[in-house]
Each structure stands twice: as structure tokens, then as C-alpha cells.
Amino acid sequence: MSRVNIGLIGLGTVGGGVVKVLRENSDIFIKKIAVRDINKKRNIENLDPNLLTTNPYEIVEDPDIDIVVEVIGGIEPAFELLKKAIKNKKHIVTANKELLAKKGEELFNLANENNVVILYEAAIAGGIPIITPIKTTLAGNKIDKIAAILNGTTNYILTKMEESNVSYEEVLKEAQQLGYAEADPTGDVEGYDSAYKIATLGTIALNKKIDINKIHREGITKISANDMKFADELGYKIKLIALAELKKDGQVDVRVHPMLVPNTNILSTINDVTNAILLEGHPVGKVMFAGPGAGEMPTASSVVGDIIAIQKEINEENPLPMMKCTHKIKAEQTDIEETENKYYISITAANIPGVIGTIGEICGRHRINLASVLQKGVCKEDFAQIVVITETSKESDIQNAISELKNNNRIVKINNLIRVME
């Protein structure tokens, strides 16, 4: 293989891992690393300080650098830097899921115009290979559904809530102390991270451009210890699911929200910080990819794999043609109100005769059939805890029923509404 020079923008957790892995490869030479603070102490032995610069334009404008590796995250300055690098005919490797979700179309079009490649295996699921298999080994399939756990922080929190029967707030604090959750966990726990990832993954797998702004997104902050306990009793686990499905009418249903996953579904067994992606298509059927979705070395593994893939074809007239983005059709995305799901509803109600009948009557008026209704005990305030599982119903009907339930004097509180995976 040809010797290549790379410029690394960012030397945080992932960047440090890339440096450590590349020390084992003599054909890939790190010429320059852009950092915010040259004097910062780093967990990298014998790092040559002469490699460091605070000016990333030294990298994107250096004619000797073949590949720019961006691992700083966020939109700016990453977007402007990568645009400049592409115009200077440099190939790109990135782990930046937000940038791809929001600015990917512009970057990919620019890359095609300049006959360079953007690879981004690390941006979707850390160390799990998924983009390359979809574009190569699975290229003969029509993928029509993705159901995935794409965020290790939320999966860890939900796993510990289930195992320890404790609140979201308690587990979040523990996750922050262990380094699994950021000081500001909003990007993870509110589902933004998973939404960025499913936007790009869905575009590649379903072959239609997905608009990140049209993805329905809910996080895990409203999940309670009781929800976890009731779900377990009913034969489910609660997971934050990123879903992208090509419907029969050609629309694409893309969303991120908690779901009750049946214990018979393999996704229910994915615990702690592990990620998993379940693909359904023809002719392959169902295929699952699982493994470490984040972390220094797993993510560096994907980054370095992309660097080597480019290195192998860097002298070709049209390098890595199968990996280039050629998606032309914009997805017509289904509004969440038009989706159909089964639902788990947790209700606190007055402990009086007929209250379950009231719930049934209200649901019936909105064309909702109940699959099961369970009373889970009585609180000291003499309120009944009731759990309802519906049959498949339309989202707009469910929301209308919830509004009527909230306004009924027999209903004290709607504790939670969670969709159920079939």
C-alpha cells in the first residue's frame, strides 16, 4: 500500500485512540494534529509536541496531507474545515454524527464534485462495522427496516434502573461518576445523539435522504422505576430505540423514543453500554450487528479502518466508488401522528368501583382496543395504579384519548405513555 500522510483535527478521547492505533502502522504517517490547547496533559506516551498546532487550517491547506481525520464533533468549525479540505482534494474520515445529520448532503455533494471520499464508520455505532457492510456485503438487499440501540449512555441507565429498581436521577448520577454520561447529558438522554445517527444510517440503508428536522424524538427522562418494573412483569424491557422503516406506501417512518421491547426480541438482551443494530431486508431477512458503540479504542478502530480503506485506493482514478453517496431521492417522512403502534399507559386513578370501565370507555370512543388492563396496587393516598396495554392503534387516536383521560375527574394522573414494539 502507498504511504499516506494524515492530518488529525482533535485529540480528545477518540483522537488519542487513533494516535495510539496508528503507531502500529508504519505506512500511515501523522503529519500534524490540531488541538485547542498545546499544553494540555494527554494520556499518550511520547507524543511529539512538534506535531501539535492550534491552527487547523495548517492541516486542511497542507498539500502534503492526503487524508483529514476530524474527531472534534459539532457543526463549527468542523463544517468549514472539511469543506476547505474537500476543495483541496483531501479525503475525509469523520466520527461527527451531528455534522453528517445536518450538513451531510452538502459535504457529500462537494466530495463527489472533487472526486474524494468521505468515510464515517465511527459516526454511527463506534466500533461496530455497519456502513461498510450495508454498502458492500448487503448491497444486493433491499433493506426496509432498522431498529437500533445507538446510545450507550441511555442503554446503561435503563439497564441499571431495571436491575436495581432505582430512579432515573440516581442512575444518571452514578453514570456521570463512572464517565458513562456527560456533565450535561442532554444530547444522550433526550435522544439527540440517536437521532443524528439514525438520520445517516437510515439514509444509507433505505436509500432515501432523511431530514433530521423531521425525526420525532423523545428521550428517557420520564421513564420511572415503576415503568421498568411493570414492563418486566409484562414480559418486556424498556430501551431507547432508533427506528427507520420504509412503509408500503413509500413513506419512511423515522423516530427515536423509548419502547417496550418483548423479551422474545433480541434487542431486549442488549444491556449496559453495548449498541446493536437490527436490519430487516430481502433476501437476507434479519441481521443484527452488536458491540461497543463508543469509547476510545472501539471508535478508533473504525476510524483507522476507514483510513486504511482510503489508503488502499488512494492512487485509483475513482477511489472507493461503492462508498460514495449517490442518494437523490428525499424521503417522504411519516408524521408521528400518523403512525400506528401498541401502547403502554401507566395511570394513577381514584380507587373507586368502575374506574377501569371508565378507562375502557374513553379508549373505545377513540377506536382503541385494550389488550390488557392490570391494577398494580393501591397507594397510601387510596389511589389505584393501573397499567394498560393497547392493541395496535393510531398515534393521533391515542393522544386524543390521553387528553380526555387527563380531563376526567376519576383519573389523577397519566404517569407515562410508551410505545410497544411488536
Side-chain angles (χ1 to χ4, degrees), residues 317-337:
E317 185 176 339
N318 182 25
L320 295 169
M322 290 188 73
M323 300 306 295
K324 292 182 178 178
C325 183
T326 57
H327 306 92
K328 303 297 183 185
I329 301 172
K330 289 189 176 182
E332 183 181 348
Q333 290 172 234
T334 307
D335 188 281
I336 189 66
E337 292 286 319

PDB file of all heavy atoms in Angstrom, residues 317-337:
ATOM      1  N   GLU A 317      -8.101   6.158  -9.973  1.00  0.00           N
ATOM      2  CA  GLU A 317      -8.742   7.314 -10.617  1.00  0.00           C
ATOM      3  C   GLU A 317     -10.079   7.638  -9.975  1.00  0.00           C
ATOM      4  O   GLU A 317     -10.453   8.801  -9.829  1.00  0.00           O
ATOM      5  CB  GLU A 317      -8.934   7.014 -12.109  1.00  0.00           C
ATOM      6  CG  GLU A 317      -9.482   8.187 -12.905  1.00  0.00           C
ATOM      7  CD  GLU A 317      -9.573   7.878 -14.378  1.00  0.00           C
ATOM      8  OE1 GLU A 317      -8.875   6.953 -14.842  1.00  0.00           O
ATOM      9  OE2 GLU A 317     -10.339   8.552 -15.073  1.00  0.00           O
ATOM     10  N   ASN A 318     -10.814   6.593  -9.547  1.00  0.00           N
ATOM     11  CA  ASN A 318     -12.107   6.777  -8.878  1.00  0.00           C
ATOM     12  C   ASN A 318     -12.102   5.916  -7.618  1.00  0.00           C
ATOM     13  O   ASN A 318     -12.613   4.795  -7.607  1.00  0.00           O
ATOM     14  CB  ASN A 318     -13.255   6.371  -9.806  1.00  0.00           C
ATOM     15  CG  ASN A 318     -14.618   6.590  -9.157  1.00  0.00           C
ATOM     16  OD1 ASN A 318     -14.771   7.419  -8.260  1.00  0.00           O
ATOM     17  ND2 ASN A 318     -15.609   5.838  -9.606  1.00  0.00           N
ATOM     18  N   PRO A 319     -11.527   6.421  -6.530  1.00  0.00           N
ATOM     19  CA  PRO A 319     -11.367   5.589  -5.328  1.00  0.00           C
ATOM     20  C   PRO A 319     -12.682   5.267  -4.633  1.00  0.00           C
ATOM     21  O   PRO A 319     -13.575   6.110  -4.536  1.00  0.00           O
ATOM     22  CB  PRO A 319     -10.477   6.456  -4.426  1.00  0.00           C
ATOM     23  CG  PRO A 319     -10.726   7.853  -4.887  1.00  0.00           C
ATOM     24  CD  PRO A 319     -10.986   7.774  -6.357  1.00  0.00           C
ATOM     25  N   LEU A 320     -12.802   4.028  -4.182  1.00  0.00           N
ATOM     26  CA  LEU A 320     -13.939   3.554  -3.369  1.00  0.00           C
ATOM     27  C   LEU A 320     -15.299   4.003  -3.914  1.00  0.00           C
ATOM     28  O   LEU A 320     -16.098   4.641  -3.214  1.00  0.00           O
ATOM     29  CB  LEU A 320     -13.778   4.048  -1.926  1.00  0.00           C
ATOM     30  CG  LEU A 320     -12.570   3.492  -1.176  1.00  0.00           C
ATOM     31  CD1 LEU A 320     -12.357   4.244   0.130  1.00  0.00           C
ATOM     32  CD2 LEU A 320     -12.754   2.004  -0.886  1.00  0.00           C
ATOM     33  N   PRO A 321     -15.635   3.670  -5.152  1.00  0.00           N
ATOM     34  CA  PRO A 321     -16.895   4.154  -5.729  1.00  0.00           C
ATOM     35  C   PRO A 321     -18.132   3.686  -4.970  1.00  0.00           C
ATOM     36  O   PRO A 321     -19.137   4.416  -4.903  1.00  0.00           O
ATOM     37  CB  PRO A 321     -16.868   3.600  -7.158  1.00  0.00           C
ATOM     38  CG  PRO A 321     -15.898   2.461  -7.111  1.00  0.00           C
ATOM     39  CD  PRO A 321     -14.874   2.843  -6.100  1.00  0.00           C
ATOM     40  N   MET A 322     -18.091   2.484  -4.383  1.00  0.00           N
ATOM     41  CA  MET A 322     -19.261   1.973  -3.670  1.00  0.00           C
ATOM     42  C   MET A 322     -19.530   2.754  -2.391  1.00  0.00           C
ATOM     43  O   MET A 322     -20.651   2.736  -1.872  1.00  0.00           O
ATOM     44  CB  MET A 322     -19.076   0.490  -3.331  1.00  0.00           C
ATOM     45  CG  MET A 322     -19.122  -0.427  -4.538  1.00  0.00           C
ATOM     46  SD  MET A 322     -19.130  -2.168  -4.074  1.00  0.00           S
ATOM     47  CE  MET A 322     -20.801  -2.364  -3.441  1.00  0.00           C
ATOM     48  N   MET A 323     -18.519   3.444  -1.866  1.00  0.00           N
ATOM     49  CA  MET A 323     -18.684   4.150  -0.601  1.00  0.00           C
ATOM     50  C   MET A 323     -19.155   5.595  -0.784  1.00  0.00           C
ATOM     51  O   MET A 323     -19.419   6.289   0.196  1.00  0.00           O
ATOM     52  CB  MET A 323     -17.372   4.137   0.179  1.00  0.00           C
ATOM     53  CG  MET A 323     -16.865   2.746   0.516  1.00  0.00           C
ATOM     54  SD  MET A 323     -18.079   1.716   1.373  1.00  0.00           S
ATOM     55  CE  MET A 323     -18.259   2.615   2.898  1.00  0.00           C
ATOM     56  N   LYS A 324     -19.248   6.036  -2.019  1.00  0.00           N
ATOM     57  CA  LYS A 324     -19.661   7.417  -2.250  1.00  0.00           C
ATOM     58  C   LYS A 324     -21.173   7.554  -2.126  1.00  0.00           C
ATOM     59  O   LYS A 324     -21.923   6.621  -2.395  1.00  0.00           O
ATOM     60  CB  LYS A 324     -19.180   7.890  -3.622  1.00  0.00           C
ATOM     61  CG  LYS A 324     -17.657   8.013  -3.690  1.00  0.00           C
ATOM     62  CD  LYS A 324     -17.168   8.529  -5.018  1.00  0.00           C
ATOM     63  CE  LYS A 324     -15.646   8.680  -5.009  1.00  0.00           C
ATOM     64  NZ  LYS A 324     -15.114   9.141  -6.311  1.00  0.00           N
ATOM     65  N   CYS A 325     -21.612   8.718  -1.732  1.00  0.00           N
ATOM     66  CA  CYS A 325     -23.032   8.975  -1.531  1.00  0.00           C
ATOM     67  C   CYS A 325     -23.673   9.369  -2.858  1.00  0.00           C
ATOM     68  O   CYS A 325     -23.275  10.358  -3.480  1.00  0.00           O
ATOM     69  CB  CYS A 325     -23.227  10.082  -0.504  1.00  0.00           C
ATOM     70  SG  CYS A 325     -24.964  10.418  -0.137  1.00  0.00           S
ATOM     71  N   THR A 326     -24.667   8.597  -3.288  1.00  0.00           N
ATOM     72  CA  THR A 326     -25.350   8.887  -4.554  1.00  0.00           C
ATOM     73  C   THR A 326     -26.860   9.013  -4.367  1.00  0.00           C
ATOM     74  O   THR A 326     -27.614   8.888  -5.315  1.00  0.00           O
ATOM     75  CB  THR A 326     -25.052   7.770  -5.563  1.00  0.00           C
ATOM     76  OG1 THR A 326     -25.454   6.503  -5.003  1.00  0.00           O
ATOM     77  CG2 THR A 326     -23.565   7.712  -5.905  1.00  0.00           C
ATOM     78  N   HIS A 327     -27.307   9.260  -3.148  1.00  0.00           N
ATOM     79  CA  HIS A 327     -28.736   9.309  -2.870  1.00  0.00           C
ATOM     80  C   HIS A 327     -29.348  10.593  -3.430  1.00  0.00           C
ATOM     81  O   HIS A 327     -28.902  11.696  -3.113  1.00  0.00           O
ATOM     82  CB  HIS A 327     -28.989   9.228  -1.366  1.00  0.00           C
ATOM     83  CG  HIS A 327     -28.330   8.042  -0.741  1.00  0.00           C
ATOM     84  ND1 HIS A 327     -27.070   8.091  -0.204  1.00  0.00           N
ATOM     85  CD2 HIS A 327     -28.745   6.756  -0.605  1.00  0.00           C
ATOM     86  CE1 HIS A 327     -26.734   6.900   0.253  1.00  0.00           C
ATOM     87  NE2 HIS A 327     -27.736   6.080   0.025  1.00  0.00           N
ATOM     88  N   LYS A 328     -30.375  10.435  -4.257  1.00  0.00           N
ATOM     89  CA  LYS A 328     -31.002  11.580  -4.917  1.00  0.00           C
ATOM     90  C   LYS A 328     -32.418  11.857  -4.404  1.00  0.00           C
ATOM     91  O   LYS A 328     -32.907  12.974  -4.458  1.00  0.00           O
ATOM     92  CB  LYS A 328     -31.062  11.346  -6.433  1.00  0.00           C
ATOM     93  CG  LYS A 328     -29.695  11.080  -7.090  1.00  0.00           C
ATOM     94  CD  LYS A 328     -28.761  12.271  -6.960  1.00  0.00           C
ATOM     95  CE  LYS A 328     -27.440  11.999  -7.677  1.00  0.00           C
ATOM     96  NZ  LYS A 328     -26.466  13.093  -7.456  1.00  0.00           N
ATOM     97  N   ILE A 329     -33.085  10.807  -3.923  1.00  0.00           N
ATOM     98  CA  ILE A 329     -34.496  10.926  -3.565  1.00  0.00           C
ATOM     99  C   ILE A 329     -34.637  11.329  -2.098  1.00  0.00           C
ATOM    100  O   ILE A 329     -34.080  10.689  -1.207  1.00  0.00           O
ATOM    101  CB  ILE A 329     -35.235   9.597  -3.807  1.00  0.00           C
ATOM    102  CG1 ILE A 329     -35.121   9.191  -5.275  1.00  0.00           C
ATOM    103  CG2 ILE A 329     -36.695   9.712  -3.388  1.00  0.00           C
ATOM    104  CD1 ILE A 329     -35.645   7.803  -5.561  1.00  0.00           C
ATOM    105  N   LYS A 330     -35.398  12.394  -1.862  1.00  0.00           N
ATOM    106  CA  LYS A 330     -35.690  12.803  -0.487  1.00  0.00           C
ATOM    107  C   LYS A 330     -36.840  11.968   0.063  1.00  0.00           C
ATOM    108  O   LYS A 330     -37.851  11.778  -0.598  1.00  0.00           O
ATOM    109  CB  LYS A 330     -36.032  14.297  -0.432  1.00  0.00           C
ATOM    110  CG  LYS A 330     -34.840  15.199  -0.673  1.00  0.00           C
ATOM    111  CD  LYS A 330     -35.185  16.653  -0.395  1.00  0.00           C
ATOM    112  CE  LYS A 330     -33.946  17.541  -0.554  1.00  0.00           C
ATOM    113  NZ  LYS A 330     -34.240  18.953  -0.257  1.00  0.00           N
ATOM    114  N   ALA A 331     -36.657  11.484   1.256  1.00  0.00           N
ATOM    115  CA  ALA A 331     -37.688  10.651   1.880  1.00  0.00           C
ATOM    116  C   ALA A 331     -38.918  11.490   2.214  1.00  0.00           C
ATOM    117  O   ALA A 331     -38.797  12.621   2.683  1.00  0.00           O
ATOM    118  CB  ALA A 331     -37.141  10.009   3.147  1.00  0.00           C
ATOM    119  N   GLU A 332     -40.088  10.914   1.969  1.00  0.00           N
ATOM    120  CA  GLU A 332     -41.325  11.500   2.481  1.00  0.00           C
ATOM    121  C   GLU A 332     -41.551  10.876   3.856  1.00  0.00           C
ATOM    122  O   GLU A 332     -41.918   9.705   3.961  1.00  0.00           O
ATOM    123  CB  GLU A 332     -42.497  11.200   1.553  1.00  0.00           C
ATOM    124  CG  GLU A 332     -43.803  11.851   1.985  1.00  0.00           C
ATOM    125  CD  GLU A 332     -44.962  11.537   1.064  1.00  0.00           C
ATOM    126  OE1 GLU A 332     -44.731  11.002  -0.040  1.00  0.00           O
ATOM    127  OE2 GLU A 332     -46.117  11.824   1.461  1.00  0.00           O
ATOM    128  N   GLN A 333     -41.293  11.651   4.897  1.00  0.00           N
ATOM    129  CA  GLN A 333     -41.271  11.105   6.252  1.00  0.00           C
ATOM    130  C   GLN A 333     -42.640  11.160   6.911  1.00  0.00           C
ATOM    131  O   GLN A 333     -43.346  12.176   6.851  1.00  0.00           O
ATOM    132  CB  GLN A 333     -40.219  11.852   7.093  1.00  0.00           C
ATOM    133  CG  GLN A 333     -38.799  11.513   6.646  1.00  0.00           C
ATOM    134  CD  GLN A 333     -37.728  12.357   7.289  1.00  0.00           C
ATOM    135  OE1 GLN A 333     -36.911  12.971   6.596  1.00  0.00           O
ATOM    136  NE2 GLN A 333     -37.707  12.398   8.609  1.00  0.00           N
ATOM    137  N   THR A 334     -42.990  10.063   7.544  1.00  0.00           N
ATOM    138  CA  THR A 334     -44.294   9.930   8.192  1.00  0.00           C
ATOM    139  C   THR A 334     -44.347  10.769   9.457  1.00  0.00           C
ATOM    140  O   THR A 334     -43.453  10.685  10.305  1.00  0.00           O
ATOM    141  CB  THR A 334     -44.562   8.455   8.550  1.00  0.00           C
ATOM    142  OG1 THR A 334     -44.397   7.652   7.387  1.00  0.00           O
ATOM    143  CG2 THR A 334     -45.960   8.274   9.106  1.00  0.00           C
ATOM    144  N   ASP A 335     -45.392  11.564   9.603  1.00  0.00           N
ATOM    145  CA  ASP A 335     -45.600  12.313  10.841  1.00  0.00           C
ATOM    146  C   ASP A 335     -45.953  11.335  11.956  1.00  0.00           C
ATOM    147  O   ASP A 335     -46.680  10.362  11.736  1.00  0.00           O
ATOM    148  CB  ASP A 335     -46.732  13.329  10.654  1.00  0.00           C
ATOM    149  CG  ASP A 335     -46.859  14.270  11.839  1.00  0.00           C
ATOM    150  OD1 ASP A 335     -47.448  13.849  12.864  1.00  0.00           O
ATOM    151  OD2 ASP A 335     -46.380  15.409  11.760  1.00  0.00           O
ATOM    152  N   ILE A 336     -45.439  11.571  13.145  1.00  0.00           N
ATOM    153  CA  ILE A 336     -45.678  10.674  14.271  1.00  0.00           C
ATOM    154  C   ILE A 336     -47.172  10.476  14.529  1.00  0.00           C
ATOM    155  O   ILE A 336     -47.609   9.385  14.926  1.00  0.00           O
ATOM    156  CB  ILE A 336     -44.964  11.187  15.554  1.00  0.00           C
ATOM    157  CG1 ILE A 336     -45.033  10.146  16.677  1.00  0.00           C
ATOM    158  CG2 ILE A 336     -45.534  12.525  15.994  1.00  0.00           C
ATOM    159  CD1 ILE A 336     -44.261   8.878  16.408  1.00  0.00           C
ATOM    160  N   GLU A 337     -47.990  11.492  14.258  1.00  0.00           N
ATOM    161  CA  GLU A 337     -49.436  11.384  14.478  1.00  0.00           C
ATOM    162  C   GLU A 337     -50.080  10.330  13.581  1.00  0.00           C
ATOM    163  O   GLU A 337     -51.155   9.817  13.886  1.00  0.00           O
ATOM    164  CB  GLU A 337     -50.102  12.743  14.233  1.00  0.00           C
ATOM    165  CG  GLU A 337     -49.746  13.815  15.252  1.00  0.00           C
ATOM    166  CD  GLU A 337     -50.425  13.602  16.595  1.00  0.00           C
ATOM    167  OE1 GLU A 337     -51.615  13.223  16.595  1.00  0.00           O
ATOM    168  OE2 GLU A 337     -49.769  13.794  17.626  1.00  0.00           O
TER     169      GLU A 337
END
